[in-house]
């Protein structure tokens, strides 16, 4: 139901940028995690509450967290598409990732090694978004904005 988009916004906040600001997360630094949570919370403070509609997570963080949640080896876009991550599950996944160093995160079978550094910060951003929006869950989409735009332009939606 793309025609029913109630709110869309891109924030100048991302896991790579946070990693540049807080590189010690590679070593499970609790202070860096706290600072990342605070910064993400500040950025996302004005997100409107879900109030009867659902937010969709797209991109690398959402799909990687869904793959971890589903323990997908190998990655399966069809199983990721539409996967729902509850707030409680987002909290536990974020905590699990924060309790590991980068080297330990590299050993998570369902996580690409190239995401082992940024995934913990992406999980923090996702969790802070869910807190700000009072979302009880996020639905994950394996398709992104550019793919949706192209499909709309081609008349496929």
């Amino acid at each position: 139901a793309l025609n029913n988009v109630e709110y869309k916004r891109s924030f100048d906040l991302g896991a790579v940028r946070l990693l540049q600001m807080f590189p010690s997360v590679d070593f499970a630094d609790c202070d860096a995690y706290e600072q990342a949570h605070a910064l993400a919370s500040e950025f996302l403070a004005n997100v409107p509450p879900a109030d009867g509609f659902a937010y969709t997570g797209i991109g690398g963080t959402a799909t990687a967290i869904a793959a971890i949640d589903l323990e997908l080896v190998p990655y399966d876009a069809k199983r990721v598409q539409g996967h729902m991550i509850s707030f409680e599950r987002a909290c536990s996944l974020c905590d699990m990732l924060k309790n590991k160093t980068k080297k330990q995160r590299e050993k998570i079978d369902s996580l690409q090694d190239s995401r082992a550094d940024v995934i913990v910060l992406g999980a923090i951003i996702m969790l802070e978004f869910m807190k700000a929006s009072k979302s009880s869950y996020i639905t994950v989409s394996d398709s992104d904005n550019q793919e949706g735009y192209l499909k709309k332009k081609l008349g496929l939606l």
Side-chain angles (χ1 to χ4, degrees):
L2 287 174
N3 295 330
N4 296 331
V5 173
E6 298 283 333
Y7 176 79
K8 58 184 174 180
R9 178 165 174 212
S10 180
F11 293 90
D12 195 17
L13 174 73
V16 172
R17 179 167 293 139
L18 287 183
L19 181 60
Q20 292 168 345
M21 295 173 71
F22 307 111
S24 61
V25 299
D26 281 353
F27 307 102
D29 179 0
C30 292
D31 289 337
Y33 291 147
E34 284 180 29
Q35 291 175 50
H37 273 286
L39 185 61
S41 176
E42 183 181 323
F43 262 86
L44 301 168
N46 295 320
V47 172
D51 283 345
F53 63 91
Y55 280 107
T56 301
I58 62 170
T61 290
T63 57
I65 290 175
I68 293 168
D69 191 30
L70 293 165
E71 298 179 356
L72 296 179
V73 182
Y75 183 83
D76 183 349
K78 288 180 182 167
R79 291 197 52 208
V80 165
Q81 182 65 33
H83 180 65
M84 294 169 61
I85 300 173
S86 70
F87 178 77
E88 293 77 17
R89 189 67 180 138
C91 287
S92 64
L93 288 166
C94 189
D95 286 346
M96 179 273 292
L97 292 167
K98 290 190 320 189
N99 284 321
K100 295 182 183 306
T101 65
K102 176 187 172 191
K103 288 201 179 300
Q104 291 169 324
R105 291 190 297 268
E106 287 173 349
K107 292 183 170 95
I108 299 171
D109 290 336
S110 51
L111 177 65
Q112 294 174 321
D113 286 352
S114 62
R115 294 196 181 277
D117 54 355
V118 295
I119 190 61
V120 66
L121 294 161
I124 287 170
I125 293 168
M126 188 171 96
L127 184 59
E128 290 301 330
F129 180 88
M130 292 179 84
K131 287 178 185 177
S133 65
K134 298 175 179 53
S135 292
S136 57
Y137 67 93
I138 281 187
T139 302
V140 178
S141 177
D142 188 70
S143 302
D144 64 19
N145 288 339
Q146 292 176 340
E147 187 175 347
Y149 177 77
L150 179 61
K151 285 180 180 178
K152 190 163 181 93
K153 281 294 192 189
L154 294 174
L156 301 174
L157 294 174

